[in-house]
């Protein structure tokens, strides 16, 4: 699973992850980078428990436009 951090126009952040199958998962409304770190670490632990890997994707993930909209 690849993830990217999105800077939203309202000053918040979103973590967007795309699985190998192409499904998109989003956690938005994060106020600080510390919250982003906690979100990513939780996702990393879940992926490891499932035998998967989590990798950072530099830049925008394909198909994840408008990921800041609630």
């Amino acid at each position: 699973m690849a993830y990217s951090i999105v800077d939203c126009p309202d000053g918040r952040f979103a973590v967007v992850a795309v699985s190998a199958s192409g499904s998109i998962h989003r956690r938005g409304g994060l106020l600080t980078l510390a919250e982003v770190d906690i979100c990513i670490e939780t996702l990393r632990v879940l992926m490891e428990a499932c035998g998967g890997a989590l990798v950072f994707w530099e830049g925008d993930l394909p198909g994840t436009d408008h990921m800041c909209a609630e």
Side-chain angles (χ1 to χ4, degrees):
M1 180 171 283
Y3 77 93
S4 184
I5 301 167
V6 179
D7 292 326
C8 298
D10 64 359
R12 298 180 190 192
F13 302 94
V15 174
V16 180
V18 178
S19 69
S21 68
S23 61
I24 299 171
H25 308 274
R26 173 193 170 280
R27 169 68 168 93
L30 303 165
L31 296 174
T32 66
L33 289 175
E35 288 181 341
V36 170
D37 289 340
I38 292 168
C39 180
I40 292 167
E41 186 55 30
T42 301
L43 184 55
R44 186 179 318 282
V45 168
L46 290 171
M47 290 302 300
E48 286 177 7
C50 296
L54 182 66
V55 296
F56 178 69
W57 184 280
E58 189 74 39
D60 295 331
L61 288 166
T64 60
D65 296 341
H66 311 293
M67 283 290 123
C68 286
E70 291 293 328

